[in-house]
Each structure stands twice: as structure tokens, then as C-alpha cells.
Amino acid sequence: MSNRLINEELIYACLMTCEKVISKNAYLEKKWGKWYEGLTGSADDSNYRAERLTWMEYRKKLQSLLLTKYSIKEIIQNTKSTKVYTDTAPKTLVKLVIELIDSKEYELVF
């Protein structure tokens, strides 16, 4: 990442990671939501919800990079397809890519 280049394969690997984190936290939120609600009076206080929403924002930012080449429908299909890019990126790499996107200090390579 020192060269600040972001390519399509990296974006899809990051999107796959986002999908896994979002799904896991949605499951945990549903499983433990009632417990949090009973404890705090609100299910919105769960860390799972906050984590899920954060990673949904990451997904949105990554998808926006691909909108110059694909429709949102194609991006979603490609992300969910096991034939496209089956590797996931480590969470730390996803966060690094998001930092580059936020700072606008990257070069998109297709």
C-alpha cells in the first residue's frame, strides 16, 4: 500500500471482508439484541450494531470506487459471486484502504 495504488482485485477482496464482518455482526446483533435491550433499555447500544454500521459505510465507499466501471447491481453480483475474487483482505488492510479513500491520496488502477 506504500504506492497508494488501489486495483479492482483489492477492492473486491475488501468488499468480501466487509460482507463477512457485516453478516457476522448482524447475526450477533440479532442473537444478543434482546439481552442488550434488557440490560440497557435499548438494543441500539450494542457494539455489534455499531460495528455493522461502520463496515456498511466502508462497503459503500469501496463500491463507489467501482461505479465508474460497473453498475451497483453488477458490483453486488460480483461481490457475492464466488467465481470473481474469493480472497478476503485482512481487516487492517481494509481500514488502510478506507483511510486512503478518505484522504483522497490514492490512484485507482483498472
Side-chain angles (χ1 to χ4, degrees), residues 3-61:
N3 57 9
R4 300 180 190 278
L5 297 177
I6 300 176
N7 64 20
E8 188 173 331
E9 185 175 351
L10 176 60
I11 295 169
Y12 276 111
C14 291
L15 282 170
M16 296 285 284
T17 301
C18 289
E19 292 299 328
K20 286 176 71 173
V21 173
I22 291 165
S23 293
K24 179 181 177 183
N25 282 288
Y27 165 77
L28 292 172
E29 180 183 1
K30 185 174 182 175
K31 181 177 179 177
W32 295 105
K34 293 290 183 193
W35 182 80
Y36 276 106
E37 190 173 344
L39 185 66
T40 64
S42 171
D44 292 341
D45 293 338
S46 77
N47 289 333
Y48 303 120
R49 179 180 174 80
E51 183 83 355
R52 180 176 60 85
L53 294 174
T54 298
W55 283 85
M56 287 173 73
E57 283 298 314
Y58 293 169
R59 178 178 64 187
K60 189 175 181 179
K61 290 177 183 182

